[in-house]
Amino acid sequence: MIHIRELRKSYGSHQLFKDINLDVKKGESLVLIGPSGGGKSTLLRCINGLETFDSGEIDVCGISLHSIPSKGLSAEEKESIRQVRLKAGMVFQQFNLFPHMTAIENIIEAPVHVLGLSPDEAHERARRLLERINMSGKADSYPGQLSGGQQQRVAIARALAMKPEIMLFDEPTSALDPEMVGEVLSVIKDLVSEGMTTLIATHEMHFAREMADKVIVIENGDIVESGSPEQIFTSPQTERTKTFLRRVLQRSIF
């Protein structure tokens, strides 16, 4: 579903990614962990076409993204980015809901104006999604009337309304109060169990260990280790991984 080859990205004189290579299979749940600022969010944004990169190639569902030439994007390259965003839905740390629209209006906006669905069809799809995330009773509520966890669930439903083949989650619980984290992770767990291809950047280590097919540890723009949850959390091979896990798990291990 996703193939990344020799990805490089710099911010001025600082090189973040140095020849990143990564493959994600259909139906796979890949969890990205590592220190803040290490490149997890930037990698997801590159996959979704929200960030440019210097060299290398990203292939999403057979659609290739390349580095942006100095002359800027061609019409063909812009169309490739548009197609990738249709294939890969993204949920951000902040919910980014339209505050002047109700929950259901937020969900139907893109299917009507981007996919060309009729309002009736879009409403029906949105109502099914609200039921799926246990928020049928909040369809007509505005974001300001919802808790953070409820807003993030609406944001997930909004992404799912486009019927993506891949879901990208960028620290989806980092802006939530602790008591609201579980309700959002529950929705993501359901997607994973249903076979949705997912890439999830998170600091929720228990969730990563429970739900991932593969865990990738990213630090300073490098993939320092990858493997099964069992391998990463019980027998990490690198000192950088061991140091990170000791810090986040706050106990003496390894």
Side-chain angles (χ1 to χ4, degrees):
M1 297 290 280
I2 298 174
H3 305 281
I4 300 175
R5 292 292 176 268
E6 299 181 357
L7 182 69
R8 291 190 172 199
K9 178 174 177 60
S10 299
Y11 291 103
S13 61
H14 172 65
Q15 186 173 18
L16 179 61
F17 297 140
K18 315 169 190 70
D19 294 326
I20 291 280
N21 293 284
L22 181 65
D23 291 309
V24 183
K25 299 175 183 178
K26 184 175 182 179
E28 190 170 37
S29 174
L30 179 71
V31 175
L32 311 177
I33 65 172
S36 297
K40 302 185 298 298
S41 296
T42 302
L43 182 59
L44 293 182
R45 292 174 66 85
C46 285
I47 292 170
N48 196 243
L50 292 169
E51 287 270 3
T52 61
F53 50 94
D54 302 330
S55 63
E57 182 177 354
I58 298 175
D59 184 287
V60 181
C61 300
I63 305 164
S64 293
L65 300 178
H66 302 274
S67 58
I68 294 180
S70 57
K71 64 181 182 300
L73 289 170
S74 66
E76 182 180 359
E77 289 163 334
K78 290 178 181 178
E79 177 61 18
S80 292
I81 291 174
R82 190 184 77 86
Q83 290 296 325
V84 163
R85 290 177 184 168
L86 291 175
K87 297 288 186 181
M90 189 158 180
V91 176
F92 302 89
Q93 298 177 33
Q94 301 297 329
F95 324 123
N96 297 332
L97 299 177
F98 295 115
H100 62 288
M101 293 183 178
T102 63
I104 197 166
E105 288 171 343
N106 267 279
I107 295 170
I108 69 172
E109 178 75 6
V112 169
H113 293 99
V114 177
L115 298 183
L117 266 62
S118 69
D120 286 346
E121 186 177 358
H123 268 88
E124 179 58 29
R125 181 179 295 184
R127 292 193 184 281
R128 289 197 303 268
L129 286 167
L130 285 168
E131 183 176 350
R132 181 177 181 178
I133 62 172
N134 298 315
M135 286 191 58
S136 297
K138 299 292 186 179
D140 298 321
S141 297
Y142 289 91
Q145 298 171 313
L146 302 174
S147 69
Q150 289 171 332
Q151 290 184 62
Q152 190 63 294
R153 281 187 282 161
V154 172
I156 294 172
R158 179 179 58 182
L160 291 174
M162 299 295 287
K163 292 201 168 179
E165 296 182 36
I166 300 165
M167 284 290 288
L168 310 174
F169 293 93
D170 181 14
E171 301 283 4
T173 61
S174 65
L176 302 179
D177 292 332
E179 64 269 21
M180 297 176 183
V181 168
E183 61 191 54
V184 172
L185 293 182
S186 177
V187 173
I188 299 174
K189 287 178 182 179
D190 288 343
L191 291 175
V192 171
S193 66
E194 292 166 8
M196 172 69 78
T197 305
T198 55
L199 280 77
I200 308 162
T202 185
H203 288 294
E204 300 290 339
M205 295 298 108
H206 178 74
F207 172 81
R209 186 167 188 168
E210 179 184 1
M211 298 306 299
D213 294 311
K214 182 190 292 185
V215 176
I216 300 249
V217 185
I218 298 181
E219 182 180 4
N220 295 328
D222 292 329
I223 294 179
V224 299
E225 191 166 348
S226 66
S228 69
E230 183 69 17
Q231 175 191 324
I232 296 298
F233 286 100
T234 64
S235 303
Q237 301 300 300
T238 71
E239 284 303 318
R240 290 164 76 183
T241 300
K242 293 176 183 178
T243 298
F244 168 72
L245 290 176
R246 284 193 195 101
R247 186 167 64 249
V248 297
L249 297 176
Q250 295 183 338
R251 66 173 185 267
S252 179
I253 54 177
F254 319 124

